[in-house]
Amino acid sequence: MSLPRIPSLSLGGKRAFVPGGSRGIGLGCAAALAEAGAHVIVAARGGATVEEAVADLRAAGYSADGIPLDVTDLAAQEAAMDGIGAIDILCNSAGLARHGAALDTTPEDFDAVFDVNVRAAYFLARNAARRMERGGSIIQISSQMGHVGGIDRAVYCGTKHAVEGMTKAMAIEWGARNIRVNTICPTFIRTPLTAPTFADPEKRKWIEDKIKLPRVAEIEDIMGAVVFLASDASAMVTGTSILVDGGWTAG
């Protein structure tokens, strides 16, 4: 009898576009995809950070290129993706947060966060799907806050709930083209951007009380989920989310 075999986690021969991939969670995504064998194209607003990320990836022996890109500039976004050409994987980690009480939300903050987290993410997915000539995987780095609410996070939660909704609709629409669309929803991950939150004893206690596992999350905790969703190991996974939240949303 012939035993079934685990589908490959290798991404050899595949091309991955990683907006927001120059630091933090995005750099973790880029490194994970590159280590699995993909050629990675890193994009971010800061040209210097893109160059540094690409240099680090290449120094580790990985195949990588980079481009400076403001994902909210839709014309620039489309032109950049025209230059990149066909891709197999989009892993969008570009994001913005401006936390504060809902009563104090300004239209400027609302528009800025939705512009990056929803509008840009939507058109990155659309533009990627148009360039996935042999099918592919679209991965949006969402958040546990796309499944629950949080104090001072009404705008941010709104954007991530929107990403969860559009992901389901796109998965339905593009399934016949063998394009899978999913999200990864991390909890608070220790990065330079979250350092002030972890440095606040009250906020750190709130995080530790919500996470059921006995530690906070590190960037490495999302890397396996990224490779899984990008690879053939998740060939029947679409329109859903992987919650890397340490049990936060379990209750």
Side-chain angles (χ1 to χ4, degrees):
M1 179 173 64
S2 160
L3 291 174
R5 305 210 36 202
I6 298 172
S8 177
L9 287 162
S10 171
L11 302 177
K14 295 192 175 181
R15 291 166 52 80
F17 183 42
V18 188
S22 66
R23 59 183 179 174
I25 291 173
L27 182 57
C29 294
L33 295 168
E35 185 174 347
H39 174 74
V40 172
I41 304 105
V42 173
R45 248 188 308 209
T49 62
V50 170
E51 290 176 7
E52 183 179 359
V54 170
D56 287 347
L57 289 166
R58 289 176 176 172
Y62 304 143
S63 178
D65 289 309
I67 54 172
L69 175 65
D70 178 354
V71 294
T72 65
D73 183 338
L74 298 188
Q77 183 191 122
E78 189 149 11
M81 295 180 79
D82 281 342
I84 292 167
I87 60 173
D88 305 286
I89 301 155
L90 169 71
C91 182
N92 175 36
S93 185
L96 180 66
R98 293 185 183 177
H99 300 316
L103 288 174
D104 298 329
T105 302
T106 66
E108 292 77 17
D109 284 346
F110 183 97
D111 290 345
V113 178
F114 267 83
D115 203 21
V116 176
N117 292 1
V118 180
R119 185 171 180 265
Y122 185 100
F123 285 99
L124 281 166
R126 186 204 70 171
N127 290 334
R130 288 178 171 179
R131 291 161 177 81
M132 289 180 166
E133 299 172 353
R134 51 186 181 181
S137 175
I138 294 172
I139 305 164
Q140 300 278 9
I141 303 301
S142 180
S143 170
Q144 65 187 14
M145 295 299 174
H147 295 262
V148 294
I151 295 171
D152 292 342
R153 283 166 171 75
V155 174
Y156 185 77
C157 288
T159 65
K160 295 306 184 179
H161 276 74
V163 168
E164 296 300 313
M166 74 189 194
T167 292
K168 290 176 170 59
M170 288 172 174
I172 293 168
E173 192 169 328
W174 298 337
R177 300 174 60 190
N178 199 31
I179 296 172
R180 298 179 295 105
V181 193
N182 295 287
T183 67
I184 294 174
C185 299
T187 186
F188 288 86
I189 289 182
R190 200 194 306 272
T191 69
L193 288 177
T194 59
T197 299
F198 283 111
D200 182 319
E202 187 175 342
K203 290 178 180 176
R204 183 182 177 93
K205 183 179 187 307
W206 173 60
I207 292 168
E208 291 175 342
D209 286 348
K210 287 286 190 179
I211 292 174
K212 308 307 184 288
L213 295 174
R215 65 176 178 86
V216 298
E218 307 288 346
I219 289 172
E220 290 80 1
D221 290 313
I222 69 159
M223 294 173 77
V226 171
V227 173
F228 171 69
L229 287 179
S231 73
D232 291 343
S234 62
M236 277 296 285
V237 180
T238 194
T240 191
S241 55
I242 294 181
L243 283 144
V244 186
D245 70 348
W248 186 299
T249 59

Coordinates of all heavy atoms in Angstrom, one line a residue, residues 165-247:
G165 N -13.2 40.4 6.1 CA -14.4 40.3 5.2 C -14.0 40.3 3.8 O -14.5 39.4 3.0
M166 N -13.1 41.2 3.4 CA -12.8 41.2 2.0 C -12.0 39.9 1.6 O -12.1 39.4 0.4 CB -12.0 42.5 1.6 CG -10.6 42.5 2.1 SD -9.9 44.2 1.8 CE -8.1 43.8 2.0
T167 N -11.2 39.4 2.5 CA -10.5 38.1 2.3 C -11.4 37.0 1.9 O -11.2 36.2 1.0 CB -9.6 37.8 3.5 OG1 -8.6 38.8 3.6 CG2 -9.0 36.4 3.4
K168 N -12.5 36.9 2.7 CA -13.5 35.8 2.4 C -14.1 36.0 1.0 O -14.3 35.0 0.3 CB -14.6 35.8 3.5 CG -14.1 35.3 4.9 CD -15.2 35.5 5.9 CE -14.8 34.8 7.2 NZ -13.6 35.3 7.8
A169 N -14.5 37.2 0.7 CA -15.2 37.5 -0.6 C -14.2 37.2 -1.7 O -14.6 36.6 -2.8 CB -15.7 38.9 -0.6
M170 N -12.9 37.7 -1.6 CA -12.0 37.4 -2.7 C -11.7 35.9 -2.8 O -11.5 35.5 -4.0 CB -10.7 38.2 -2.3 CG -10.8 39.7 -2.5 SD -9.3 40.5 -1.9 CE -9.7 42.2 -2.4
A171 N -11.6 35.2 -1.7 CA -11.4 33.8 -1.8 C -12.5 33.1 -2.6 O -12.2 32.2 -3.4 CB -11.3 33.2 -0.4
I172 N -13.8 33.5 -2.4 CA -14.9 32.9 -3.2 C -14.7 33.3 -4.6 O -14.9 32.4 -5.5 CB -16.2 33.5 -2.6 CG1 -16.4 33.0 -1.2 CG2 -17.4 33.1 -3.5 CD1 -17.6 33.7 -0.5
E173 N -14.4 34.5 -4.9 CA -14.3 35.0 -6.3 C -13.2 34.4 -7.1 O -13.3 34.1 -8.3 CB -14.2 36.5 -6.3 CG -14.5 37.1 -7.7 CD -14.6 38.6 -7.6 OE1 -15.2 39.1 -6.6 OE2 -14.2 39.3 -8.5
W174 N -12.0 34.2 -6.5 CA -10.8 33.8 -7.2 C -10.5 32.3 -7.0 O -9.5 31.9 -7.6 CB -9.6 34.6 -6.7 CG -9.8 36.1 -7.0 CD1 -10.7 36.7 -7.9 CD2 -9.2 37.2 -6.3 NE1 -10.6 38.0 -7.9 CE2 -9.7 38.4 -6.9 CE3 -8.3 37.3 -5.3 CZ2 -9.3 39.7 -6.5 CZ3 -7.9 38.6 -4.8 CH2 -8.4 39.7 -5.4
G175 N -11.3 31.6 -6.3 CA -11.0 30.2 -6.1 C -10.9 29.4 -7.4 O -10.0 28.5 -7.6
A176 N -11.7 29.7 -8.4 CA -11.7 29.0 -9.7 C -10.4 29.2 -10.4 O -10.1 28.4 -11.3 CB -12.9 29.4 -10.5
R177 N -9.7 30.3 -10.1 CA -8.4 30.6 -10.7 C -7.3 30.0 -9.9 O -6.1 30.3 -10.2 CB -8.2 32.1 -10.8 CG -9.3 32.8 -11.7 CD -9.2 34.3 -11.7 NE -7.9 34.7 -12.2 CZ -7.5 35.9 -12.1 NH1 -8.2 36.9 -11.5 NH2 -6.3 36.3 -12.7
N178 N -7.6 29.2 -8.9 CA -6.6 28.5 -8.0 C -5.7 29.6 -7.3 O -4.6 29.4 -7.0 CB -5.7 27.6 -8.8 CG -4.9 26.6 -7.9 OD1 -5.5 26.2 -6.9 ND2 -3.7 26.2 -8.3
I179 N -6.4 30.7 -6.9 CA -5.8 31.7 -6.1 C -6.4 31.6 -4.7 O -7.6 31.7 -4.5 CB -6.0 33.1 -6.6 CG1 -5.2 33.2 -8.0 CG2 -5.5 34.1 -5.6 CD1 -5.5 34.5 -8.7
R180 N -5.6 31.3 -3.7 CA -6.1 31.2 -2.3 C -5.8 32.5 -1.6 O -4.8 33.2 -1.8 CB -5.3 30.0 -1.6 CG -5.6 28.7 -2.3 CD -4.9 27.6 -1.6 NE -3.4 27.7 -1.7 CZ -2.6 28.0 -0.7 NH1 -3.1 28.3 0.5 NH2 -1.3 28.1 -0.9
V181 N -6.8 32.9 -0.7 CA -6.7 34.2 0.0 C -7.0 33.9 1.4 O -8.1 33.4 1.8 CB -7.7 35.2 -0.6 CG1 -7.4 36.6 -0.1 CG2 -7.7 35.2 -2.1
N182 N -6.0 34.3 2.3 CA -6.1 34.0 3.7 C -5.5 35.1 4.5 O -4.8 36.0 4.0 CB -5.4 32.7 4.1 CG -6.1 31.5 3.4 OD1 -7.2 31.1 3.8 ND2 -5.5 30.9 2.4
T183 N -5.7 35.1 5.8 CA -5.1 36.1 6.7 C -4.3 35.4 7.8 O -4.7 34.2 8.1 CB -6.1 37.1 7.4 OG1 -6.9 36.3 8.3 CG2 -7.0 37.8 6.3
I184 N -3.3 36.0 8.3 CA -2.7 35.6 9.6 C -3.0 36.7 10.6 O -2.8 37.9 10.3 CB -1.2 35.4 9.4 CG1 -0.9 34.3 8.4 CG2 -0.5 35.2 10.7 CD1 0.6 34.1 8.1
C185 N -3.4 36.3 11.8 CA -3.9 37.2 12.8 C -3.0 37.1 14.0 O -3.4 36.3 14.9 CB -5.4 37.0 13.1 SG -6.4 37.2 11.7
P186 N -2.0 37.9 14.1 CA -1.1 37.8 15.3 C -1.7 38.5 16.5 O -2.5 39.5 16.3 CB 0.2 38.5 14.9 CG 0.1 38.8 13.4 CD -1.4 38.8 13.1
T187 N -1.3 38.1 17.6 CA -1.4 38.9 18.9 C -0.4 40.0 18.9 O 0.4 40.2 17.9 CB -1.4 38.0 20.1 OG1 -1.7 38.8 21.3 CG2 0.0 37.3 20.3
F188 N -0.2 40.6 20.0 CA 0.9 41.6 20.2 C 2.2 40.8 20.1 O 2.5 39.8 20.8 CB 0.8 42.3 21.6 CG -0.3 43.2 21.7 CD1 -1.6 42.8 22.1 CD2 -0.1 44.6 21.4 CE1 -2.6 43.7 22.2 CE2 -1.1 45.5 21.5 CZ -2.4 45.1 21.9
I189 N 3.1 41.2 19.2 CA 4.4 40.6 19.0 C 5.5 41.6 19.4 O 5.4 42.8 19.1 CB 4.5 40.2 17.5 CG1 3.6 39.0 17.3 CG2 6.0 39.8 17.2 CD1 3.7 38.4 15.9
R190 N 6.5 41.1 20.0 CA 7.5 41.9 20.5 C 8.4 42.4 19.3 O 9.1 41.6 18.7 CB 8.4 41.2 21.5 CG 9.3 42.1 22.4 CD 10.3 41.3 23.1 NE 9.8 40.1 23.8 CZ 9.4 40.2 25.1 NH1 9.4 41.3 25.7 NH2 8.9 39.1 25.7
T191 N 8.3 43.7 19.0 CA 9.1 44.3 18.0 C 9.4 45.7 18.5 O 8.9 46.2 19.5 CB 8.2 44.5 16.6 OG1 7.2 45.5 16.9 CG2 7.6 43.2 16.2
P192 N 10.3 46.4 17.7 CA 10.6 47.8 18.1 C 9.4 48.7 18.2 O 9.3 49.6 19.1 CB 11.6 48.3 17.1 CG 12.3 47.0 16.6 CD 11.2 46.0 16.7
L193 N 8.4 48.5 17.3 CA 7.2 49.3 17.3 C 6.3 49.0 18.5 O 5.6 49.9 19.0 CB 6.4 49.0 16.0 CG 7.0 49.6 14.7 CD1 6.1 49.2 13.5 CD2 7.1 51.1 14.8
T194 N 6.3 47.8 19.1 CA 5.5 47.5 20.2 C 6.2 47.7 21.5 O 5.7 47.5 22.6 CB 4.9 46.1 20.2 OG1 6.0 45.2 20.1 CG2 4.0 45.9 18.9
A195 N 7.5 48.0 21.5 CA 8.3 48.2 22.7 C 7.7 49.1 23.7 O 7.7 48.8 24.9 CB 9.7 48.6 22.3
P196 N 7.1 50.3 23.3 CA 6.5 51.2 24.3 C 5.3 50.5 25.0 O 5.1 50.8 26.2 CB 6.1 52.4 23.5 CG 7.0 52.4 22.3 CD 7.2 50.9 22.0
T197 N 4.6 49.7 24.3 CA 3.4 49.0 24.9 C 3.9 48.0 25.9 O 3.4 48.0 27.0 CB 2.6 48.3 23.8 OG1 2.1 49.3 22.9 CG2 1.4 47.6 24.4
F198 N 4.9 47.2 25.6 CA 5.4 46.3 26.5 C 6.1 46.9 27.7 O 6.2 46.4 28.8 CB 6.3 45.3 25.8 CG 5.6 44.2 25.0 CD1 5.7 44.2 23.6 CD2 4.9 43.3 25.7 CE1 5.0 43.3 22.9 CE2 4.2 42.3 24.9 CZ 4.3 42.3 23.5
A199 N 6.6 48.1 27.5 CA 7.3 48.9 28.6 C 6.3 49.4 29.6 O 6.7 49.8 30.7 CB 8.1 50.0 28.0
D200 N 5.0 49.5 29.3 CA 4.0 50.0 30.2 C 3.5 48.9 31.0 O 2.9 48.0 30.5 CB 2.9 50.7 29.3 CG 1.8 51.3 30.2 OD1 1.4 50.7 31.2 OD2 1.3 52.4 29.8
P201 N 3.7 48.9 32.3 CA 3.3 47.7 33.1 C 1.8 47.4 33.0 O 1.5 46.2 33.0 CB 3.7 48.2 34.6 CG 4.8 49.2 34.4 CD 4.4 49.9 33.1
E202 N 1.0 48.4 33.0 CA -0.5 48.1 32.9 C -0.8 47.4 31.6 O -1.6 46.5 31.6 CB -1.2 49.4 33.1 CG -2.7 49.2 33.2 CD -3.5 50.6 33.5 OE1 -2.8 51.5 33.9 OE2 -4.7 50.6 33.3
K203 N -0.3 47.9 30.5 CA -0.6 47.4 29.2 C 0.0 46.0 29.1 O -0.6 45.1 28.5 CB -0.1 48.3 28.1 CG -0.9 49.6 28.0 CD -0.3 50.5 26.9 CE -1.2 51.8 26.8 NZ -0.6 52.7 25.9
R204 N 1.2 45.8 29.6 CA 1.8 44.5 29.5 C 1.0 43.5 30.3 O 0.8 42.3 29.8 CB 3.3 44.5 30.1 CG 4.0 43.2 29.9 CD 5.4 43.2 30.5 NE 6.0 41.9 30.4 CZ 6.7 41.4 29.4 NH1 7.0 42.2 28.4 NH2 7.2 40.2 29.4
K205 N 0.5 43.9 31.5 CA -0.3 42.9 32.2 C -1.6 42.6 31.5 O -2.0 41.4 31.5 CB -0.7 43.6 33.6 CG -1.5 42.6 34.5 CD -1.8 43.2 35.8 CE -2.4 42.2 36.8 NZ -3.6 41.6 36.2
W206 N -2.2 43.6 30.8 CA -3.4 43.3 30.0 C -3.1 42.3 28.9 O -3.9 41.3 28.7 CB -3.9 44.6 29.4 CG -5.0 44.5 28.4 CD1 -6.2 44.0 28.6 CD2 -5.0 44.9 27.0 NE1 -7.0 44.0 27.4 CE2 -6.2 44.6 26.5 CE3 -4.0 45.5 26.2 CZ2 -6.5 44.9 25.1 CZ3 -4.3 45.7 24.9 CH2 -5.6 45.4 24.3
I207 N -2.0 42.4 28.3 CA -1.6 41.5 27.2 C -1.3 40.1 27.8 O -1.8 39.1 27.3 CB -0.3 42.0 26.5 CG1 -0.6 43.2 25.7 CG2 0.3 40.9 25.6 CD1 0.6 44.0 25.2
E208 N -0.6 40.0 28.9 CA -0.2 38.7 29.5 C -1.5 38.0 30.0 O -1.6 36.8 30.0 CB 0.8 38.9 30.5 CG 2.2 39.3 30.0 CD 3.2 39.6 31.0 OE1 2.8 39.9 32.2 OE2 4.4 39.6 30.7
D209 N -2.4 38.8 30.5 CA -3.7 38.2 31.1 C -4.5 37.6 29.9 O -5.2 36.6 30.1 CB -4.5 39.2 31.8 CG -3.9 39.6 33.2 OD1 -3.0 38.8 33.6 OD2 -4.3 40.6 33.8
K210 N -4.5 38.2 28.8 CA -5.3 37.8 27.6 C -4.7 36.6 26.9 O -5.4 35.7 26.4 CB -5.5 38.9 26.6 CG -6.4 40.0 27.1 CD -7.9 39.6 27.0 CE -8.8 40.7 27.2 NZ -10.3 40.2 27.2
I211 N -3.4 36.5 26.9 CA -2.7 35.4 26.2 C -2.7 34.2 27.2 O -2.3 34.3 28.3 CB -1.3 35.8 25.8 CG1 -1.3 36.9 24.7 CG2 -0.4 34.6 25.3 CD1 0.0 37.4 24.3
K212 N -3.1 33.1 26.7 CA -3.3 31.9 27.5 C -2.0 31.1 27.7 O -1.8 30.4 28.7 CB -4.4 31.0 27.0 CG -5.7 31.6 26.7 CD -6.2 32.4 27.9 CE -7.6 33.0 27.6 NZ -7.6 34.2 26.7
L213 N -1.1 31.3 26.8 CA 0.2 30.6 26.9 C 1.1 31.4 27.8 O 0.9 32.6 28.0 CB 0.9 30.5 25.5 CG 0.1 29.5 24.5 CD1 0.7 29.5 23.2 CD2 0.1 28.1 25.1
P214 N 2.2 30.8 28.4 CA 2.9 31.5 29.4 C 4.0 32.4 28.9 O 5.1 32.6 29.6 CB 3.5 30.3 30.2 CG 3.7 29.3 29.2 CD 2.6 29.4 28.2
R215 N 3.8 33.1 27.8 CA 4.8 34.1 27.3 C 4.1 34.9 26.3 O 3.0 34.6 25.8 CB 6.0 33.4 26.7 CG 5.7 32.5 25.4 CD 6.9 32.0 24.8 NE 6.7 31.1 23.7 CZ 6.5 31.6 22.4 NH1 6.7 32.9 22.2 NH2 6.3 30.7 21.4
V216 N 4.8 36.0 25.9 CA 4.3 36.9 24.8 C 4.9 36.4 23.5 O 5.8 35.5 23.5 CB 4.6 38.4 25.0 CG1 4.0 38.9 26.3 CG2 6.2 38.6 25.1
A217 N 4.4 36.9 22.4 CA 4.8 36.4 21.1 C 6.0 37.1 20.6 O 6.3 38.2 20.8 CB 3.6 36.6 20.1
E218 N 6.8 36.3 19.8 CA 8.0 36.8 19.1 C 7.7 36.7 17.6 O 6.8 36.0 17.1 CB 9.2 36.0 19.5 CG 9.4 35.9 21.0 CD 9.9 37.2 21.6 OE1 10.3 38.1 20.8 OE2 9.9 37.3 22.8
I219 N 8.5 37.4 16.8 CA 8.4 37.4 15.3 C 8.4 36.0 14.8 O 7.7 35.6 13.9 CB 9.4 38.3 14.7 CG1 9.1 39.7 14.9 CG2 9.5 38.0 13.2 CD1 10.2 40.7 14.5
E220 N 9.3 35.1 15.4 CA 9.4 33.8 14.9 C 8.1 33.0 14.9 O 7.9 32.0 14.2 CB 10.5 33.0 15.7 CG 11.9 33.5 15.4 CD 12.3 34.8 16.1 OE1 11.5 35.3 16.9 OE2 13.4 35.2 15.9
D221 N 7.2 33.4 15.8 CA 6.0 32.7 16.0 C 5.0 32.7 14.8 O 4.1 31.9 14.6 CB 5.2 33.2 17.2 CG 5.9 32.8 18.5 OD1 6.3 31.6 18.7 OD2 6.1 33.6 19.4
I222 N 5.2 33.7 13.9 CA 4.3 33.8 12.7 C 5.0 33.2 11.5 O 4.3 33.0 10.5 CB 4.0 35.3 12.4 CG1 5.2 36.0 11.9 CG2 3.3 35.9 13.6 CD1 4.8 37.3 11.1
M223 N 6.3 32.8 11.6 CA 7.0 32.5 10.4 C 6.5 31.1 9.8 O 6.4 30.9 8.6 CB 8.5 32.4 10.6 CG 9.0 33.8 10.9 SD 10.8 33.9 11.4 CE 11.6 33.6 9.9
G224 N 6.2 30.2 10.6 CA 5.7 28.9 10.2 C 4.3 29.0 9.5 O 4.1 28.4 8.5
A225 N 3.5 29.9 10.0 CA 2.1 30.1 9.4 C 2.3 30.7 8.0 O 1.5 30.4 7.1 CB 1.3 31.0 10.3
V226 N 3.2 31.6 7.9 CA 3.5 32.3 6.6 C 3.9 31.2 5.5 O 3.3 31.2 4.4 CB 4.5 33.4 6.7 CG1 4.9 33.9 5.3 CG2 4.0 34.5 7.6
V227 N 4.8 30.4 5.9 CA 5.3 29.4 4.9 C 4.2 28.4 4.6 O 4.0 28.0 3.5 CB 6.5 28.6 5.5 CG1 6.9 27.5 4.6 CG2 7.7 29.6 5.6
F228 N 3.4 28.0 5.7 CA 2.3 27.1 5.4 C 1.3 27.6 4.4 O 1.0 26.9 3.5 CB 1.6 26.8 6.8 CG 0.3 26.0 6.7 CD1 0.3 24.7 6.3 CD2 -0.9 26.6 6.9 CE1 -0.9 24.0 6.2 CE2 -2.1 25.9 6.8 CZ -2.1 24.6 6.4
L229 N 0.9 28.9 4.6 CA -0.1 29.4 3.7 C 0.4 29.7 2.3 O -0.3 29.8 1.4 CB -0.7 30.7 4.3 CG -1.7 30.5 5.5 CD1 -2.2 31.9 6.0 CD2 -2.9 29.6 5.1
A230 N 1.7 29.9 2.2 CA 2.3 30.2 0.9 C 2.6 28.9 0.1 O 2.7 28.9 -1.1 CB 3.6 30.9 1.1
S231 N 2.6 27.7 0.8 CA 3.0 26.5 0.2 C 1.9 25.6 -0.2 O 0.7 25.8 0.1 CB 4.0 25.8 1.2 OG 3.2 25.2 2.2
D232 N 2.3 24.5 -0.9 CA 1.3 23.5 -1.3 C 0.7 22.7 -0.1 O -0.3 22.0 -0.2 CB 1.9 22.4 -2.2 CG 2.3 23.0 -3.6 OD1 1.7 24.1 -3.9 OD2 3.1 22.4 -4.3
A233 N 1.3 22.9 1.1 CA 0.8 22.2 2.3 C -0.6 22.8 2.7 O -1.4 22.1 3.4 CB 1.7 22.4 3.5
S234 N -0.9 24.0 2.2 CA -2.2 24.6 2.5 C -3.1 24.7 1.2 O -3.9 25.6 1.1 CB -2.1 26.0 3.1 OG -1.4 26.8 2.2
A235 N -2.9 23.7 0.3 CA -3.6 23.8 -1.0 C -5.1 23.9 -0.9 O -5.8 24.3 -1.9 CB -3.2 22.6 -1.9
M236 N -5.7 23.4 0.2 CA -7.2 23.5 0.3 C -7.6 24.5 1.4 O -8.7 24.4 1.9 CB -7.7 22.1 0.6 CG -7.9 21.2 -0.6 SD -9.1 21.8 -1.8 CE -10.7 21.4 -0.9
V237 N -6.7 25.4 1.7 CA -7.0 26.4 2.7 C -7.3 27.8 2.0 O -6.3 28.3 1.5 CB -5.9 26.5 3.7 CG1 -6.2 27.5 4.8 CG2 -5.7 25.1 4.4
T238 N -8.5 28.3 2.1 CA -8.7 29.6 1.5 C -9.9 30.2 2.2 O -10.8 29.5 2.7 CB -8.9 29.5 0.0 OG1 -8.9 30.8 -0.6 CG2 -10.3 28.9 -0.4
G239 N -9.9 31.5 2.3 CA -11.0 32.3 2.8 C -11.1 32.2 4.3 O -12.2 32.4 4.9
T240 N -10.0 32.0 5.0 CA -10.0 31.9 6.4 C -8.8 32.6 7.0 O -8.0 33.2 6.3 CB -10.0 30.4 6.8 OG1 -10.3 30.3 8.2 CG2 -8.8 29.6 6.5
S241 N -8.6 32.4 8.3 CA -7.5 33.1 9.0 C -6.9 32.1 10.0 O -7.5 31.2 10.5 CB -8.1 34.3 9.9 OG -9.1 33.9 10.7
I242 N -5.5 32.3 10.1 CA -4.8 31.6 11.2 C -4.5 32.5 12.3 O -3.9 33.6 12.1 CB -3.5 31.0 10.6 CG1 -3.8 29.9 9.5 CG2 -2.6 30.4 11.7 CD1 -2.5 29.3 8.9
L243 N -5.1 32.2 13.5 CA -4.9 33.1 14.6 C -3.7 32.7 15.4 O -3.6 31.6 16.0 CB -6.2 33.0 15.5 CG -7.3 33.8 14.9 CD1 -8.7 33.1 15.1 CD2 -7.4 35.2 15.5
V244 N -2.6 33.5 15.3 CA -1.4 33.3 16.1 C -1.5 34.2 17.3 O -0.8 35.2 17.4 CB -0.2 33.6 15.2 CG1 1.1 33.2 15.9 CG2 -0.3 32.8 13.9
D245 N -2.4 33.8 18.2 CA -2.7 34.8 19.3 C -2.6 34.2 20.6 O -3.0 34.8 21.6 CB -4.2 35.3 19.1 CG -5.2 34.2 19.3 OD1 -4.9 33.0 19.4 OD2 -6.4 34.6 19.4
G246 N -1.9 33.1 20.8 CA -1.7 32.5 22.1 C -3.0 32.2 22.9 O -3.0 32.1 24.1
G247 N -4.1 32.1 22.2 CA -5.4 31.8 22.8 C -6.2 33.0 23.2 O -7.2 32.9 23.8

